[in-house]
Amino acid sequence: MPKTIKNEFNKYLTYEKLMEAHKKSRKGKGYRKEIILFNLKQEEYILWLLEKLKNKTYKHGGYTEFYVTEAKLRKIEKSRYIDRIVHRWVVDNFLEPAFVPQFISSSYACLKNKGMHRAALYVQNKMKHCKIIWKEYYILKMDVAKYFDNINKNILLNILKRKIKDKDLLWLINEILFTQKREKGLEIGNYTSQMYANIYLNEIDQYIKHKLKVKYYCRYLDDSILMVKTKKEAKEILEKIRIFLKENLELELNKKTQIFKNKQGVNFCGYKINEYRMKIRDKGKRKLKKKIKYLKREIKEGRMTSKEAKKYLAGHMGYIKYANVKNLIEKLFYIEK
């Protein structure tokens, strides 16, 4: 895709592209009632959506709000399924090809072939390198306060407009972005919101890497780590970052932001990391033990098979396999021989 998006909207507005977005959106969720009903008349619905987008009569529907408590209390705003198809179409055909190539290589959240495990391994690798070249060094760990709630949509739109010159695409982006009629706060649950969150903080990534010239830096959504040789350097960088965030993005760092020596290790992406070991944090262990205890009880009382329990734990296995937890695995994951 060219550096700026011009006259691309109608090029990608086809039945085939919308159907592709539908198939990707329903993947792994085909058992849900709304998707089952959509599938019954999918051709008709896609043709209807195509026509609405072509003649600019498409209106983004409202949201269903609910709360989740894992890992912390968060409000989720769930859009209609047909709107989620539009979100996917916008991200896959415009936002991802136009913006992701601009991201720094050490940005890891919600991106293909990346994720939290690779982010943690990247940080550990750079810690090893800093240990070799400096012996002792300092880690600056930053966390943006209430990130999704504080994203300014007008600032985000101006960032998008630097690359998007297609008036039809901007019409649709505005329709999705401002459905809730509020200036601040992205809807957690929108497929577009994940990409917008990365595009927004790419501004600070570029500043840190190219203006402040920080060599060892990694970000996973609103959590980031950087490594420098001295505490003085870390303090100066932190102050410049605070100013940049406030003046350019209307964001602040929260109280978890801190500077510490490398020998303390760092908590990042659910792991306690030092140069030579990566452990699951105590909070993660407690959560895992609780879940294993529940599954063992379900198996014992005949409400679940061992095979079902292992399938349920697949995500956790992906998480712990990167950590140095051999004894913990042997103790917790004994379900059957």
Side-chain angles (χ1 to χ4, degrees), residues 155-188:
I155 293 175
L156 172 61
L157 187 60
N158 286 331
I159 293 170
L160 295 172
K161 284 180 177 178
R162 292 182 206 156
K163 286 191 73 67
I164 302 173
K165 308 300 180 183
D166 189 313
K167 60 181 176 55
D168 295 324
L169 180 56
L170 287 172
W171 157 76
L172 181 56
I173 285 172
N174 268 283
E175 177 62 32
I176 298 170
L177 198 56
F178 292 99
T179 298
Q180 296 290 66
K181 310 297 181 188
R182 65 184 183 223
E183 183 179 330
K184 279 198 171 186
L186 287 184
E187 295 74 24
I188 299 177

Side-chain angles (χ1 to χ4, degrees), residues 8 10 48 56 59 93 104 166 175 177-178 207 248 250 261 264 278 281 283 289 298 306-307 310 333-334:
E8 298 286 320
N10 290 311
W48 177 87
K56 310 293 185 299
K59 293 291 181 184
N93 293 287
I104 62 171
D166 189 313
E175 177 62 32
L177 198 56
F178 292 99
Y207 176 71
N248 295 275
E250 294 186 3
K261 289 183 178 180
Q264 294 176 253
M278 193 153 69
R281 295 174 62 185
K283 183 179 178 182
K289 287 176 181 178
E298 291 294 292
S306 296
K307 187 176 181 180
K310 287 175 180 177
F333 284 84
Y334 174 75

Side-chain angles (χ1 to χ4, degrees), residues 319-334:
Y319 167 56
I320 68 173
K321 75 177 183 180
Y322 291 94
N324 304 109
V325 287
K326 184 176 182 293
N327 292 336
L328 179 66
I329 292 173
E330 289 176 351
K331 181 180 178 181
L332 291 182
F333 284 84
Y334 174 75

Side-chain angles (χ1 to χ4, degrees), residues 233-328:
E233 190 179 357
K235 285 182 175 180
E236 290 172 352
I237 287 170
L238 175 57
E239 183 57 27
K240 289 176 182 177
I241 288 171
R242 287 190 192 277
I243 292 169
F244 183 93
L245 285 172
K246 188 172 183 179
E247 292 183 351
N248 295 275
L249 301 175
E250 294 186 3
L251 297 174
E252 293 182 355
L253 297 173
N254 67 20
K255 293 179 181 178
K256 290 189 281 186
T257 296
Q258 57 183 318
I259 297 168
F260 42 87
K261 289 183 178 180
N262 65 293
K263 64 182 180 181
Q264 294 176 253
V266 62
N267 292 327
F268 187 60
C269 288
Y271 299 99
K272 177 74 173 181
I273 308 169
N274 66 27
E275 289 92 352
Y276 305 105
R277 287 184 68 83
M278 193 153 69
K279 297 180 179 180
I280 298 174
R281 295 174 62 185
D282 290 341
K283 183 179 178 182
K285 284 182 185 178
R286 287 194 297 270
K287 181 179 169 184
L288 188 57
K289 287 176 181 178
K290 185 178 178 181
K291 190 160 284 186
I292 293 291
K293 187 177 179 180
Y294 161 77
L295 291 174
K296 285 182 176 179
R297 185 171 65 248
E298 291 294 292
I299 294 169
K300 186 176 180 181
E301 296 177 5
R303 289 189 292 269
M304 184 181 290
T305 66
S306 296
K307 187 176 181 180
E308 288 170 338
K310 287 175 180 177
K311 189 176 181 181
Y312 188 76
L313 288 167
H316 289 282
M317 292 300 289
Y319 167 56
I320 68 173
K321 75 177 183 180
Y322 291 94
N324 304 109
V325 287
K326 184 176 182 293
N327 292 336
L328 179 66

Side-chain angles (χ1 to χ4, degrees), residues 24-232:
K24 288 181 178 179
S25 298
R26 74 183 182 188
K27 190 174 182 181
K29 303 168 188 173
Y31 59 90
R32 295 181 182 176
K33 184 179 178 180
E34 60 182 341
I35 298 177
I36 291 171
L37 293 174
F38 190 95
N39 284 337
L40 293 174
K41 295 184 178 181
Q42 62 181 14
E43 291 85 3
E44 293 176 41
Y45 286 133
I46 294 297
L47 286 170
W48 177 87
L49 182 57
L50 178 62
E51 187 62 26
K52 288 289 183 181
L53 290 169
K54 274 186 176 179
N55 59 31
K56 310 293 185 299
T57 57
Y58 165 79
K59 293 291 181 184
H60 192 280
Y63 288 86
T64 302
E65 296 181 1
F66 61 94
Y67 289 84
V68 295
T69 57
E70 199 169 317
K72 59 184 177 182
L73 184 66
R74 291 181 298 167
K75 182 174 78 171
I76 304 297
E77 293 168 288
K78 182 182 177 183
S79 56
R80 302 176 304 173
Y81 179 67
I82 200 162
D83 294 323
R84 300 203 294 275
I85 293 172
V86 177
H87 300 168
R88 171 70 76 161
W89 180 74
V90 170
V91 172
D92 288 358
N93 293 287
F94 304 105
L95 300 181
E96 188 175 282
F99 289 93
V100 171
Q102 288 187 323
F103 293 169
I104 62 171
S105 60
S106 54
S107 173
Y108 278 88
C110 308
L111 297 171
K112 291 176 183 176
N113 302 316
K114 291 203 172 181
M116 62 187 299
H117 307 130
R118 294 195 179 190
L121 291 170
Y122 175 88
V123 167
Q124 186 182 51
N125 180 267
K126 295 308 172 188
M127 288 174 73
K128 288 178 183 177
H129 181 72
C130 290
K131 180 75 173 176
I132 292 169
I133 61 172
W134 292 328
K135 293 187 178 179
E136 292 187 353
Y137 58 94
Y138 284 83
I139 299 169
L140 169 55
K141 184 178 188 298
M142 296 175 288
D143 193 344
V144 177
K146 297 181 179 178
Y147 179 47
F148 274 83
D149 291 339
N150 287 315
I151 290 177
N152 185 303
K153 292 184 176 183
N154 288 313
I155 293 175
L156 172 61
L157 187 60
N158 286 331
I159 293 170
L160 295 172
K161 284 180 177 178
R162 292 182 206 156
K163 286 191 73 67
I164 302 173
K165 308 300 180 183
D166 189 313
K167 60 181 176 55
D168 295 324
L169 180 56
L170 287 172
W171 157 76
L172 181 56
I173 285 172
N174 268 283
E175 177 62 32
I176 298 170
L177 198 56
F178 292 99
T179 298
Q180 296 290 66
K181 310 297 181 188
R182 65 184 183 223
E183 183 179 330
K184 279 198 171 186
L186 287 184
E187 295 74 24
I188 299 177
N190 272 11
Y191 191 66
T192 50
S193 294
Q194 298 175 9
M195 183 58 66
Y196 287 151
N198 265 332
I199 291 170
Y200 204 72
L201 279 187
N202 180 56
E203 299 294 298
I204 191 66
D205 293 345
Q206 299 296 331
Y207 176 71
I208 289 170
K209 292 293 288 186
H210 302 298
K211 295 292 184 181
L212 299 183
K213 306 292 184 183
V214 176
K215 193 171 183 180
Y216 309 111
Y217 168 74
C218 177
R219 179 174 64 79
Y220 185 86
L221 208 55
D222 55 336
D223 290 336
S224 54
I225 300 285
L226 65 81
M227 288 155 263
V228 291
K229 188 175 182 180
T230 67
K231 190 173 185 178
K232 179 176 180 290

